[in-house]
């Protein structure tokens, strides 16, 4: 046999060997949500896929948040699951949860890859970070997957008016709450805004925000957008300060809030107006840690629970469980993942199972999520919960805090209201309708 | 390029042929058969990865032509992908242009804009040109994100733009399976065109400019014209890739086209091998797959030992960084060069030396 034929046979052999190897690697899991029986009540397992940002630009906050999401479901399962009365059998049965987490590094292609790998075996997905939500939304709508989102972005409302069943209040609605508070406490006040113009988008869109401010009788003096990488804010502060506002609302992340306060102190304008931290991720304790007494008098928005409430029973449970599982102390990031998405979602699954039994379809699980009422897990998720198809967010309640002379955040008000500015456009409704 | 022993080119046509020997034809056809069969056996995940890598190959080929062949640095390749992607999404969804027409037009749009940023190339080169094109990255993304032309059409701004699925003759290509065949076809055509370009007059002019601009000008090469052409072609490739990506994912978002992504295209071409079509392919496959499996490895490590979760989270970056370092140390001329050496060794076997 000539050497040419030997080479040909060798090459074909390599190709033939490669094809089954690829086929084996490419075989996807076939199982969907499963049920199992034991000596006690029948147990059912809901499989959940989590797109985590353990790495990437937002890892600092999303890593504990994502770990917390895994642990929260694991905690429920470790403690015997959730009992429900199956209307089909008339018996008590148990829901348990199996979470598959995949790091996506806050990048779109890995998130899409993870989704493609998991979608055949998992019916419910959850994630942190806006970029991934946006990237995944069209595929999930097409595949009719349930998506429990923990995001602040109003953007997603445009994509997933019905599939987005969880999550936080949009940035613009948080801002609306602050405006309501100012209108109530100082009618006709002059405000200025510093918002973020970061990789994940702007925290405010100027025109709808301006319209809302004017509708409340507040005087608008200007808005400045900070790049996500800004290391100095003096130029923006100078322009804003020249308009003599009564309030400066900082609609930016915690680190930038601290940066603004430091710059204002250096410029000698710290005491000239009331500072307001407009985003819930501005946890008061974090800001105090960063800027010390420059935060004195700061008013801010925070969700449901303060990180100072260490004697809370729920806090103790989380601290003990995370220490046991991760060897790590809990912190604010854990609270967000644990409570705002997962524990409320567990309640949603229970409501759905009580009504429809087992197995659950995507629409049935969505029904459960949208019918959570005033959920409270060991006083951690204490704010009233109100969801409806037109307001597809778990949270419509936030606390206002003020940092007092001892640099201790104290509650000064509770705000409960529906969406202000974020609207579901007609195009989004059309997208969803079959 | 060396040929197997005993095979000689005896005509210009033979010298220019992309596929030259019967063995090459057989191997190529076998590869096509395997590629056509692939999505029938592979799951969603692998089909997605193929589509992603193939679209990357198309974009990387564009940068390879500009940088590897013509020596023109572009730090805005991801932005040109964005131009193609947004153009295509807008044409299909707002102007109701058929996808088959929007696909090449999106390439043309990106190419024309690329020509604008090619003008500085007449005056500056090297890192200075890199800085000039870097401005393009930021300007293009800023214009898209701020919806500057909303009187004419909307880009959706930061809130992104929903892109209809690609559709040909009434058949929707939303699924990864169907999109696979389109992406494969476009990739093969684009590779072929790139290969032909590099062996044609224009390719030789590009190489002459890359190697010595003054000498090229002395030989009668219109340096400015060919530089602009290189930008047009390179950005055309990026635009085509952008269009495919947008219609595949169903969304046009500026977050897909960051400056970091432009840097990665640099990495792809460097690791794959400058001045080689095969290099762009190797680089795309290796870098994309490396990231994908590094993420999975990091996640797996954190799951196996939760107390190491924080450290495991850093693993993907460490793995990718390490591979980059090793590749640059042991094969600075790129994977294509290594592949070339393997082929040569195989052809000479058992007389490798």
């Amino acid at each position: 046999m000539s050497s040419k034929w030997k080479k040909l046979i060798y090459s074909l052999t390599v190709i033939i060997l490669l094809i089954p190897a690829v086929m084996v690697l490419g075989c996807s899991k076939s199982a969907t949500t499963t049920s199992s029986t034991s000596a006690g009540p029948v147990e059912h397992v809901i499989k959940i896929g989590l797109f985590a940002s353990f790495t990437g630009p937002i890892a600092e906050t999303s890593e504990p948040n994502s770990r917390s999401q895994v642990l929260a479901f694991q905690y429920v399962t470790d403690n015997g699951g959730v009992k429900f009365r199956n209307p089909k059998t008339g018996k008590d049965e148990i829901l348990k949860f199996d979470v598959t987490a995949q790091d996506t590094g806050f990048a779109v292609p890995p998130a899409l890859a993870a989704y493609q790998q998991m979608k055949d075996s998992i019916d419910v997905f959850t994630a942190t970070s806006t970029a991934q939500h946006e990237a995944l939304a069209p595929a999930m709508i097409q595949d009719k997957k349930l998506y429990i989102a923990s995001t602040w972005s109003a953007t997603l409302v445009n994509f997933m008016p019905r599939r987005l069943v969880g999550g936080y209040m949009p940035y613009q609605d948080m801002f609306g709450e602050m405006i309501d508070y100012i209108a109530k406490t100082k009618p006709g006040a002059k405000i200025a805004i510093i918002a973020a113009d970061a990789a994940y988008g702007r925290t405010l869109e100027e025109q709808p925000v301006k319209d809302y401010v004017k509708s409340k009788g507040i005087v608008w003096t200007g808005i400045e957008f900070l790049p996500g990488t800004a290391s100095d804010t003096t130029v923006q502060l100078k322009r804003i300060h020249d308009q003599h506002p009564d309030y400066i609302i900082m609609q930016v992340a915690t680190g930038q809030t601290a940066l603004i306060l430091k710059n204002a102190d250096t410029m000698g304008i710290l005491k000239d107006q009331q500072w307001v931290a407009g985003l819930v991720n501005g946890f008061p304790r974090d800001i105090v840690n960063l800027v010390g007494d420059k935060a004195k008098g700061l008013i801010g928005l925070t969700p449901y629970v303060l990180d100072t409430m260490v004697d809370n029973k729920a806090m103790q449970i989380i601290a003990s469980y995370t220490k046991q599982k991760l060897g790590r102390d809990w912190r604010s990031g854990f609270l967000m993942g644990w409570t705002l998405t997962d524990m409320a979602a567990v309640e949603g699954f229970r409501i759905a199972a009580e009504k429809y039994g087992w197995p659950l379809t995507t629409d049935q699980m969505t029904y459960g999520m949208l019918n959570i009422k005033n959920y409270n897990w060991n006083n951690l998720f204490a704010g009233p919960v109100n969801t409806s198809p037109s307001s597809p967010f778990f949270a419509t309640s936030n606390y206002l805090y003020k940092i007092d002379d001892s640099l201790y955040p104290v509650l000064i008000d509770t705000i409960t209201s529906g969406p202000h500015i974020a609207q579901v456009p007609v195009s989004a409704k059309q997208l969803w309708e079959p | 390029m060396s040929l197997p022993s005993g095979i000689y080119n005896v005509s210009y046509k033979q010298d220019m042929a992309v596929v030259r020997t019967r063995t090459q034809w057989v191997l190529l056809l076998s590869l096509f058969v395997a590629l056509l069969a692939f999505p029938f056996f592979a799951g969603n995940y692998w089909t997605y990865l193929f589509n992603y890598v193939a679209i990357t190959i198309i974009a990387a080929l564009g940068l390879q032509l500009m940088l590897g062949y013509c020596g023109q640095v572009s730090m805005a390749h991801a932005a040109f992908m964005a131009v193609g992607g947004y153009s295509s999404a807008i044409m299909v969804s707002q102007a109701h242009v058929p996808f088959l027409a929007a696909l090449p037009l999106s390439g043309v749009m990106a190419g024309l804009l690329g020509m604008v940023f090619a003008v500085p190339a007449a005056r500056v080169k090297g890192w200075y040109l890199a800085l000039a094109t870097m401005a393009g990255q930021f300007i293009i993304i800023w214009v898209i994100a701020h919806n500057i032309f909303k009187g004419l059409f909307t880009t959706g701004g930061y809130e992104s733009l929903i892109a209809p699925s690609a559709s040909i003759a009434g058949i929707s290509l939303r699924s990864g399976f169907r999109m696979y065949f389109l992406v494969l076809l476009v990739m093969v055509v684009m590779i072929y065109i790139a290969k032909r370009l590099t062996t044609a007059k224009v390719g030789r002019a590009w190489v002459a400019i890359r190697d010595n601009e003054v000498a090229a000008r002395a030989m009668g090469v219109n340096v400015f014209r060919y530089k602009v052409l290189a930008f047009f072609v390179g950005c055309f490739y990026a635009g085509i890739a952008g269009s495919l990506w947008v219609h595949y994912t169903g969304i046009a978002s500026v977050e897909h086209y960051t400056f970091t992504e432009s840097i990665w295209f640099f990495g792809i071409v460097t690791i794959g091998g400058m001045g080689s079509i095969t290099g762009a392919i190797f680089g795309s496959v290796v870098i994309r797959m490396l990231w994908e499996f590094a993420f999975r490895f990091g996640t797996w490590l954190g799951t196996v030992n939760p107390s190491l979760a924080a450290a495991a989270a850093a693993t993907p970056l460490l793995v990718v960084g390490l591979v980059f370092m090793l590749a640059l140390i042991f094969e600075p001329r790129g994977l294509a060069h290594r592949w070339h050496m393997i082929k040569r060794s195989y052809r000479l076997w058992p007389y490798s030396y």
Side-chain angles (χ1 to χ4, degrees):
Chain A
M1 192 183 286
S2 69
S3 64
K4 198 193 294 180
W5 282 106
K6 280 182 183 173
K7 285 182 200 169
L8 181 62
I9 290 168
Y10 173 72
S11 304
L12 286 174
T13 308
V14 170
I15 291 170
I16 290 164
L17 287 173
L18 277 175
I19 290 174
V22 168
M23 283 164 55
V24 169
L25 287 168
C27 284
S28 55
K29 297 170 198 167
S30 58
T32 54
T33 47
T34 58
S35 66
S36 61
T37 56
S38 63
V42 176
E43 292 182 355
H44 308 286
V45 178
I46 294 181
K47 288 191 171 185
I48 295 167
L50 167 65
F51 305 106
S53 291
F54 295 148
T55 56
I58 63 163
E60 189 182 352
T61 53
S62 66
E63 195 265 339
N65 196 340
S66 300
R67 301 260 181 236
S68 161
Q69 288 196 258
V70 177
L71 283 179
F73 284 118
Q74 203 175 329
Y75 173 83
V76 174
T77 299
D78 285 355
N79 284 277
V82 179
K83 192 188 287 184
F84 71 98
R85 173 61 59 96
N86 188 337
K88 291 177 183 170
T89 62
K91 293 178 180 171
D92 284 345
E93 296 178 9
I94 301 287
L95 281 181
K96 290 192 170 182
F97 303 93
D98 178 15
V99 183
T100 304
Q102 175 57 50
D103 180 27
T104 62
F106 193 59
V108 173
L112 287 168
Y115 173 68
Q116 292 297 335
Q117 191 185 36
M118 290 194 275
K119 74 176 186 181
D120 287 341
S121 58
I122 283 173
D123 286 328
V124 183
F125 289 94
T126 182
T128 51
S129 83
T130 306
Q132 292 171 168
H133 289 311
E134 287 185 358
L136 294 165
M140 291 207 188
I141 288 171
Q142 186 198 7
D143 296 334
K144 295 195 185 314
K145 297 290 183 185
L146 176 60
Y147 195 33
I148 305 165
S150 56
T151 178
W152 288 307
S153 173
T155 306
L156 277 174
V157 184
N158 296 344
F159 289 108
M160 309 179 75
R162 285 185 63 193
R163 282 289 172 254
L164 178 75
V165 295
Y168 310 134
M169 185 167 287
Y171 290 135
Q172 302 208 150
D173 283 347
M174 295 176 203
F175 176 80
E177 293 197 344
M178 298 307 303
I179 294 300
D180 286 355
Y181 171 76
I182 292 170
K184 190 172 70 178
T185 52
K186 189 170 182 177
K190 291 166 71 178
I191 64 152
I193 301 155
I194 303 177
D197 189 351
Y200 49 78
R202 286 183 165 185
T203 50
L204 288 178
E205 285 298 323
E206 186 171 347
Q207 196 55 48
V209 164
K210 191 186 272 187
D211 293 343
Y212 188 76
V213 167
K214 287 179 179 170
S215 74
K216 294 289 174 181
I218 305 287
V219 180
W220 170 281
T221 65
I223 186 168
E224 293 286 338
F225 286 98
L226 283 184
T229 53
S231 57
D232 184 85
T233 64
T234 49
V235 174
Q236 290 89 348
L237 279 174
K238 175 78 171 63
R239 279 201 291 260
I240 277 183
H241 184 257
D242 287 348
Q243 304 300 317
H244 308 294
D246 300 311
Y247 295 84
I248 295 182
I249 302 175
M250 298 171 286
Q251 198 79 358
V252 294
T254 308
Q256 285 192 317
T257 302
L259 178 68
I260 291 167
L261 293 175
K262 281 179 184 173
N263 287 166
D265 185 50
T266 307
M267 294 165 70
I269 61 170
L270 191 64
K271 304 296 178 191
D272 293 354
Q273 60 281 303
Q274 173 66 55
W275 295 91
V276 180
L279 292 186
V280 293
N281 52 348
F283 277 92
R285 181 59 59 196
D286 294 342
I287 295 173
V288 170
N289 286 342
L290 287 168
V291 297
D293 62 2
K294 295 178 189 64
K296 199 183 293 180
L298 176 76
I299 292 175
L301 203 64
T302 195
Y304 329 113
V305 63
L306 292 173
D307 50 358
T308 50
M309 296 166 67
V310 289
D311 54 347
N312 187 310
K313 185 184 172 191
M315 295 290 186
Q316 290 166 0
I317 293 172
I318 292 176
S320 163
Y321 193 70
T322 53
K323 188 79 178 172
Q324 173 199 339
K325 290 289 180 183
L326 293 186
R328 190 193 292 194
D329 289 332
W330 57 274
R331 60 185 178 119
S332 55
F334 273 103
L335 304 180
M336 292 152 72
W338 192 293
T339 60
L340 299 188
T341 306
D342 293 3
M343 300 312 281
V346 167
E347 173 67 0
F349 288 126
R350 190 194 64 76
I351 292 170
E354 287 265 351
K355 183 170 176 67
Y356 296 106
W358 186 267
L360 288 169
T361 65
T362 299
D363 283 340
Q364 289 165 351
M365 287 189 278
T366 306
Y367 169 87
M369 299 297 155
L370 294 177
N371 282 278
I372 302 167
K373 304 288 182 199
N374 297 320
Y375 182 63
N376 182 336
W377 185 72
N378 291 304
N379 294 326
L380 184 57
F381 197 75
V385 176
N386 177 24
T387 59
S388 69
S390 60
S391 172
F393 298 94
F394 280 132
T396 55
S397 176
N398 287 313
Y399 292 133
L400 271 175
Y401 65 84
K402 185 166 190 174
I403 296 175
D404 67 8
D405 286 342
S406 63
L407 300 180
Y408 191 87
V410 292
L411 293 178
I412 56 173
D413 204 348
T414 303
I415 300 177
T416 306
S417 57
H420 294 265
I421 302 164
Q423 299 291 331
V424 179
V426 175
S427 61
K429 290 177 185 161
Q430 288 167 343
L431 182 73
W432 168 247
E433 296 300 332
Chain B
M1 183 184 286
S2 65
L3 284 170
S5 178
I7 297 176
Y8 305 99
N9 292 328
V10 292
S11 68
Y12 182 73
K13 191 180 172 185
Q14 279 183 330
D15 200 31
M16 290 293 103
V18 175
V19 182
R20 282 178 269 196
T21 65
R22 196 163 55 183
T23 307
Q24 284 179 337
W25 272 113
V26 171
L27 287 173
L28 193 64
L29 288 174
S30 305
L31 179 65
F32 279 146
V33 170
L35 286 173
L36 288 172
F38 177 73
F40 292 97
F41 301 105
N44 295 321
Y45 174 62
W46 287 96
T47 306
Y48 165 80
L49 282 185
F50 179 91
N51 290 341
Y52 177 42
V53 169
I55 291 169
T56 305
I57 288 172
I58 295 168
L61 282 171
L63 188 63
Q64 186 69 284
L65 293 173
M66 287 163 72
L67 177 63
Y69 282 90
C70 194
Q72 302 307 299
V73 185
S74 170
M75 303 284 267
H77 210 58
F80 291 119
M81 261 188 91
V83 171
Y86 273 92
S87 301
S88 193
I90 289 166
M91 278 189 272
V92 174
S93 66
Q94 294 169 40
H96 306 292
V97 175
F99 169 74
L100 270 185
L103 178 66
L105 282 175
S106 60
V108 171
M109 289 294 291
L112 291 174
L113 197 64
M115 288 168 73
V116 174
F117 286 97
V119 174
R123 307 281 299 179
V124 294
K125 53 187 173 181
W127 289 112
Y128 299 97
L129 179 59
L131 285 172
T133 54
M134 193 193 296
Q137 168 76 38
F138 294 114
I139 292 168
I140 290 169
I141 295 301
W142 189 89
V143 166
I144 292 171
H146 289 78
N147 208 0
I148 297 299
F149 299 105
K150 61 185 170 191
L152 297 170
F153 54 81
T154 180
T155 59
Y158 278 117
E159 295 195 0
S160 310
L161 187 66
I162 294 169
S165 58
S167 176
I168 298 174
I171 301 168
S172 169
L173 305 180
R174 172 65 91 197
S175 71
F177 178 82
R178 289 182 181 177
M179 197 68 185
Y180 174 92
F181 295 101
L182 175 69
V183 170
L184 177 64
L185 176 68
V186 174
M187 181 187 74
V188 169
V189 169
M190 298 303 268
I191 290 173
Y192 180 77
I193 292 171
K195 193 78 182 167
R196 298 300 298 184
L197 277 173
T198 56
T199 52
K201 180 185 171 187
V202 60
R204 293 196 301 279
W206 284 343
V207 171
I209 292 168
R210 179 195 66 190
D211 290 347
N212 192 321
E213 206 172 305
V214 176
R217 190 173 283 119
M219 285 193 300
V221 173
N222 186 332
V223 172
F224 178 67
R225 184 180 153 213
Y226 279 106
K227 279 185 179 179
V228 172
L229 190 60
F231 267 89
F232 176 81
V233 174
C235 295
F236 178 85
Y237 271 73
I240 295 290
S243 172
L244 290 171
W245 179 247
V246 156
H247 291 289
Y248 179 39
T249 58
I251 187 170
S253 168
V254 287
E255 289 170 16
H256 299 202
Y257 311 103
T258 58
F259 180 59
T260 312
E261 192 62 19
S262 288
I263 299 289
W264 278 116
F265 278 116
F266 244 73
I268 285 169
V269 172
T270 308
I271 295 293
M274 290 275 189
S276 161
I277 299 300
T278 321
I281 298 169
F282 280 148
S284 302
V285 174
V286 169
I287 297 297
R288 294 306 196 202
M289 299 305 276
L290 184 64
W291 265 116
E292 176 61 21
F293 293 120
F295 273 127
R296 294 191 172 272
F297 178 67
T299 306
W300 172 81
L301 208 59
T303 310
V304 170
N305 190 344
S307 63
L308 290 177
T315 309
L317 285 171
L318 289 174
V319 169
V320 174
L322 189 66
V323 170
F324 255 70
M325 280 170 58
L326 293 175
L328 292 173
I329 290 168
F330 293 108
E331 195 50 88
R333 293 170 69 180
L335 296 169
H337 177 66
R338 178 65 56 179
W339 171 245
H340 189 61
M341 285 168 63
I342 291 169
K343 278 200 304 186
R344 187 177 294 174
S345 168
Y346 170 71
R347 282 168 182 162
L348 294 176
W349 186 85
Y351 306 110
S352 303
Y353 300 98

